Amino acid sequence: MAQAPTSLLTVGVLLQYTIPLDRQDLQTCATLLGWKEGAFVISGLPYQEGQPVECRPGNPCVVRYIHEGKVVGYRSEIRGGQLAPEPLLFLSFPERIEEILIRKHPRIPVHQPIMVRSEALPGAAGAPFQEPPVVGVLQDLSIAGCRAALTGSARWMMPGAAVRLEFELPGIGHVTNLSGVVKNVSGSAVRPLLGLEFQFYRTEFIEFRGWGGTVQKAIEQFVAQRHMPDPVA
């Protein structure tokens, strides 16, 4: 539900920025310091790993924050920044701000390589073996599961099949050996589309890029940083 911007702006609130860059979106935070209605919004200059974030004038960005127990947000544009006498960032003033309804498991579009393999299956003599993994593209992601378009079919591709997954969370880390269950299969034999549900706290692990925590928390952070929910009607 859209509201007048000044009714949802509060000095001192922590703003979360999503800024598109050349290779991947930058996620960063800064404190709201003030605004001039109809002209600009001022915040502290965002920092990452102790260095000021490069904020190019004209760059679009998405701003989110918490206001009176609700998530609100708006799309904006960077007007400019300065280091002295105070480090500041200037954004365009929002035409409107949306109160945001977050679904239980919001999905975000992604485009990352993924490798899917079945759990160990018994061989002819009772010895375990594994079919070769199938590669493809991760199309969307939520904290509960994902959808993957694969480059080939395998006999295990059926609802209820137990699988292991490997994929990258850009900017966070590389997930390996994440257990999952096939919930649905669509598409064609040449390019099957799998709906997968995650099974956490088994044997999964993640090679972090400057961040710590579990695989589940890493996925939650990745989805939250990149999700721009639909506004409440």
Side-chain angles (χ1 to χ4, degrees), residues 49 171-173 207-212:
E49 298 179 356
I172 294 182
E207 299 173 11
F208 288 106
R209 311 280 193 269
W211 190 85

Side-chain angles (χ1 to χ4, degrees), residues 48-132:
Q48 189 173 55
E49 298 179 356
Q51 299 296 320
V53 171
E54 180 184 359
C55 298
R56 306 171 187 170
N59 258 22
C61 68
V62 174
V63 182
R64 304 179 184 88
Y65 56 96
I66 304 296
H67 178 81
E68 296 181 351
K70 297 180 180 179
V71 180
V72 297
Y74 70 95
R75 300 184 184 278
S76 186
E77 181 179 286
I78 294 172
R79 293 290 181 86
Q82 67 179 45
L83 287 172
E86 295 291 336
L88 300 174
L89 179 67
F90 296 85
L91 302 171
S92 61
F93 191 82
E95 294 182 2
R96 66 177 188 175
I97 295 178
E98 303 285 350
E99 292 186 17
I100 296 171
L101 174 65
I102 299 181
R103 303 173 202 163
K104 182 178 179 181
H105 298 306
R107 287 185 175 267
I108 59 167
V110 291
H111 190 80
Q112 289 292 319
I114 186 172
M115 184 168 66
V116 184
R117 62 177 175 84
S118 69
E119 295 279 14
L121 300 172
F129 75 96
Q130 290 183 338
E131 292 187 351

Side-chain angles (χ1 to χ4, degrees), residues 1-208:
M1 179 173 60
Q3 294 194 28
T6 52
S7 70
L8 295 175
L9 291 171
T10 304
V11 171
V13 73
L14 185 65
L15 305 178
Q16 179 187 4
Y17 296 135
T18 300
I19 304 173
L21 296 179
D22 295 334
R23 296 185 178 179
Q24 65 184 42
D25 290 351
L26 172 67
Q27 311 294 328
T28 187
C29 297
T31 301
L32 176 62
L33 301 177
W35 62 86
K36 181 177 181 181
E37 188 168 358
F40 54 80
V41 171
I42 308 172
S43 79
L45 189 64
Y47 279 73
Q48 189 173 55
E49 298 179 356
Q51 299 296 320
V53 171
E54 180 184 359
C55 298
R56 306 171 187 170
N59 258 22
C61 68
V62 174
V63 182
R64 304 179 184 88
Y65 56 96
I66 304 296
H67 178 81
E68 296 181 351
K70 297 180 180 179
V71 180
V72 297
Y74 70 95
R75 300 184 184 278
S76 186
E77 181 179 286
I78 294 172
R79 293 290 181 86
Q82 67 179 45
L83 287 172
E86 295 291 336
L88 300 174
L89 179 67
F90 296 85
L91 302 171
S92 61
F93 191 82
E95 294 182 2
R96 66 177 188 175
I97 295 178
E98 303 285 350
E99 292 186 17
I100 296 171
L101 174 65
I102 299 181
R103 303 173 202 163
K104 182 178 179 181
H105 298 306
R107 287 185 175 267
I108 59 167
V110 291
H111 190 80
Q112 289 292 319
I114 186 172
M115 184 168 66
V116 184
R117 62 177 175 84
S118 69
E119 295 279 14
L121 300 172
F129 75 96
Q130 290 183 338
E131 292 187 351
V134 181
V135 298
V137 176
L138 188 63
Q139 291 191 332
D140 64 35
L141 179 68
S142 79
I143 63 173
C146 65
R147 180 174 59 181
L150 304 181
T151 58
S153 61
R155 60 177 181 169
W156 52 262
M157 289 184 187
M158 60 185 68
V163 296
R164 297 292 176 92
L165 312 171
E166 180 176 343
F167 55 88
E168 182 81 10
L169 295 176
I172 294 182
H174 189 83
V175 175
T176 304
N177 213 38
L178 175 59
S179 295
V181 174
V182 178
K183 301 300 290 183
N184 55 74
V185 182
S186 58
S188 65
V190 176
R191 192 174 176 82
L193 192 63
L194 268 60
L196 301 162
E197 180 181 273
F198 299 143
Q199 305 288 312
F200 293 109
Y201 301 110
R202 297 188 177 180
T203 57
E204 74 271 14
F205 63 93
I206 180 169
E207 299 173 11
F208 288 106

